Amino acid sequence: MGRRNDHTRKELKEMAIKAGVELIEERGFQNFSIRKVAAKIGYSAGTLYNVFENSDDLVFHINSVTLDDLQNYIETKLDQELKGVEAIKRMGDRYIEFAHEYNSRWNALFEYRRPLDSELPQWYLLKLNSLFAIVEKLLLPFVHGDIESAKRVAKVLWGGVHGICSLGLTQRMGQDGTELLKTLANSLIENYISGLTQAKE
Amino acid sequence: MGRRNDHTRKELKEMAIKAGVELIEERGFQNFSIRKVAAKIGYSAGTLYNVFENSDDLVFHINSVTLDDLQNYIETKLDQELKGVEAIKRMGDRYIEFAHEYNSRWNALFEYRRPLDSELPQWYLLKLNSLFAIVEKLLLPFVHGDIESAKRVAKVLWGGVHGICSLGLTQRMGQDGTELLKTLANSLIENYISGLTQAKE
DNA sequence: ACCTGAACACCGTTCAAGT
DNA sequence: ACCTGAACACCGTTCAAGT
């Protein structure tokens, strides 16, 4: 036993995150464990504690990769031609598609339901922020450029679409498939914005 | 060891569910285990396997109690005077209050994020249905009495409010308190319905 | 028939001891 | 300095054996 020095700290971290992503993807989050990740990369479990605070910390890093992939998925498939409400509806569609296609990893994003007082890591919150920012930008025209309003509206829409997707994919609204969920999300986006702009005039 | 027959099967089941509710309430879902529930009621863990299929089955029964409490919480606090949109907005408020007040149990409701193909128990789905039914009934006037439309709109609204509540309470939209979350949910309900009825005319 | 306790195959986490 | 393996305190689940 003892030092091997096969990999740098940084390499180790990357290997573990990659292995974790694969483990969740292949076998679902229920089968995830820090011990399995260690086995997958050929190290002992203890070693991962040199590199991550604990199991939660590793999961947050895995989730961070998933958020990057999600952002990428949404942005690259977002037709630049689309404007305004249509663009936001397309984003909703992409979110639901991603959640369906990468279901285990998307689930992992929300596994950490902690007591109210527990906090998410700061760097993780920043990453979430940049997802919200995409919608905020698209919303500016509807709120006369007021960034605070855009932020609020973005929360309503992301929250709303996420909720429909979440209850839908976990079978809590019946047997609805992704197509219906997209329809519901589109309905939410379209009518909410329509109601909002109506009221302002 | 051996038979005690202190309690009937039914009593045992009720004791376990009650103990589970308390355990989650007091120490959070992370600290829940079927072994702790067994200890709490003075039986061995094995005994609970005579009465529940497995740990998941016990959790579903605990969640069932939570859904009853939620329905009760919403209905008893729902001012009978309120009509239409105002009544639905009040429901959203109550949902968020409940999720905040009984946060651990509310969290437990959504812990079971399983692979897409796993199914929730039939009796549990029926219970969820009766929650949706409350909103559907309130929505009928807005959709010219069309029950299918009411069902769709109810999914959008429950989903939407749940999503705002879920992302909000788990700190995924920032540091927003329940008051702001209620405002967001109200905005969703009001403007969505407004947009919806506008479009129909 | 009902219940227990031990057993099995796992967890996350810590840390003395080895190189 | 880095890494391991054993240890600790847990899990969910099964089942032979006891009353």
Side-chain angles (χ1 to χ4, degrees):
Chain A
M1 67 195 87
R3 74 183 301 171
R4 293 167 22 179
N5 236 353
D6 290 344
H7 304 95
T8 64
R9 250 180 96 85
K10 203 183 157 203
E11 282 171 337
L12 215 52
K13 207 162 175 172
E14 276 166 10
M15 286 161 64
I17 293 168
K18 184 162 173 290
V21 165
E22 287 167 11
L23 186 58
I24 292 175
E25 202 123 85
E26 291 159 11
R27 312 199 38 207
F29 189 74
Q30 309 102 70
N31 280 296
F32 173 87
S33 76
I34 196 168
R35 290 180 105 117
K36 285 192 190 126
V37 170
K40 214 165 189 293
I41 63 174
Y43 277 84
S44 75
T47 297
L48 290 183
Y49 283 82
N50 292 333
V51 162
F52 298 100
E53 271 183 54
N54 48 36
S55 176
D56 285 11
D57 187 29
L58 171 54
V59 174
F60 275 121
H61 281 85
I62 291 166
N63 285 348
S64 172
V65 171
T66 304
L67 288 182
D68 287 341
D69 291 348
L70 171 61
Q71 176 141 5
N72 224 303
Y73 190 91
I74 286 176
E75 281 178 337
T76 62
K77 291 215 177 184
L78 198 62
D79 195 330
Q80 293 297 344
E81 303 286 309
L82 290 178
K83 300 276 179 229
V85 179
E86 289 309 310
I88 297 172
K89 281 160 73 174
R90 187 64 63 91
M91 280 190 67
D93 290 349
R94 295 299 163 240
Y95 183 76
I96 291 167
E97 280 170 21
F98 184 90
H100 184 258
E101 190 169 340
Y102 302 97
N103 190 254
S104 296
R105 280 208 282 154
W106 176 76
N107 270 336
L109 248 23
F110 305 100
E111 281 293 337
Y112 282 79
R113 311 197 135 260
R114 290 302 159 70
L116 283 173
D117 47 19
S118 70
E119 285 175 26
L120 302 180
Q122 194 61 38
W123 59 268
Y124 188 78
L125 289 175
L126 289 174
K127 193 147 268 183
L128 285 175
N129 243 311
S130 81
L131 269 170
F132 278 85
I134 307 175
V135 194
E136 286 162 13
K137 202 174 156 195
L138 289 169
L139 284 169
L140 281 175
F142 298 100
V143 291
H144 311 101
D146 178 24
I147 183 69
E148 284 311 311
S149 296
K151 277 182 189 294
R152 283 166 40 92
V153 175
K155 285 179 183 186
V156 171
L157 290 180
W158 256 140
V161 171
H162 167 70
I164 289 168
C165 182
S166 183
L167 294 187
L169 291 183
T170 59
Q171 313 290 323
R172 280 171 173 83
M173 300 198 306
Q175 302 298 321
D176 306 337
T178 53
E179 287 312 313
L180 179 55
L181 298 181
K182 286 188 204 171
T183 308
L184 296 177
N186 280 349
S187 164
L188 173 72
I189 293 163
E190 189 162 308
N191 289 304
Y192 176 67
I193 291 180
S194 152
L196 202 64
T197 50
Q198 213 91 38
K200 293 256 166 170
E201 281 156 23
Chain B
M1 67 193 87
R3 73 184 303 169
R4 292 169 23 180
N5 236 354
D6 289 345
H7 304 95
T8 65
R9 251 180 96 82
K10 203 182 156 205
E11 283 170 335
L12 213 52
K13 208 163 176 171
E14 278 166 9
M15 285 161 65
I17 293 168
K18 185 162 173 290
V21 165
E22 287 167 9
L23 186 57
I24 292 173
E25 201 123 86
E26 291 159 11
R27 311 199 37 208
F29 188 74
Q30 309 102 69
N31 280 296
F32 173 87
S33 77
I34 196 169
R35 289 180 107 117
K36 285 194 190 125
V37 169
K40 214 166 189 293
I41 63 174
Y43 276 85
S44 75
T47 297
L48 289 183
Y49 283 82
N50 293 333
V51 161
F52 298 99
E53 272 183 54
N54 48 36
S55 175
D56 285 11
D57 187 30
L58 171 53
V59 174
F60 275 121
H61 281 84
I62 292 167
N63 285 347
S64 173
V65 171
T66 304
L67 288 182
D68 287 340
D69 291 348
L70 171 61
Q71 177 141 5
N72 224 302
Y73 190 91
I74 287 175
E75 281 179 337
T76 61
K77 290 214 177 183
L78 198 62
D79 195 330
Q80 293 297 345
E81 301 288 307
L82 290 178
K83 299 277 177 229
V85 179
E86 289 308 311
I88 298 172
K89 282 161 72 173
R90 188 63 63 93
M91 280 189 66
D93 289 349
R94 295 298 163 242
Y95 183 76
I96 292 167
E97 280 171 20
F98 184 91
H100 184 258
E101 189 168 341
Y102 301 97
N103 190 253
S104 296
R105 281 207 283 154
W106 176 77
N107 270 335
L109 248 24
F110 304 100
E111 280 294 337
Y112 281 81
R113 309 197 134 260
R114 289 302 157 73
L116 283 174
D117 46 19
S118 70
E119 285 175 24
L120 303 181
Q122 194 62 38
W123 60 267
Y124 189 77
L125 289 175
L126 289 174
K127 193 146 268 183
L128 285 174
N129 242 311
S130 80
L131 269 170
F132 278 85
I134 308 176
V135 193
E136 286 161 13
K137 202 174 157 195
L138 290 170
L139 284 169
L140 280 175
F142 298 101
V143 291
H144 312 102
D146 178 24
I147 184 70
E148 284 311 312
S149 296
K151 278 183 189 295
R152 285 165 39 91
V153 175
K155 285 179 183 186
V156 171
L157 290 180
W158 255 141
V161 171
H162 167 69
I164 290 167
C165 183
S166 183
L167 294 187
L169 291 183
T170 59
Q171 313 291 322
R172 280 171 174 81
M173 301 198 305
Q175 302 298 320
D176 305 336
T178 53
E179 287 312 313
L180 178 56
L181 297 180
K182 286 188 203 171
T183 308
L184 296 177
N186 280 350
S187 165
L188 173 73
I189 294 164
E190 190 161 308
N191 289 303
Y192 176 68
I193 291 180
S194 154
L196 201 65
T197 50
Q198 214 90 38
K200 293 254 167 173
E201 280 156 22

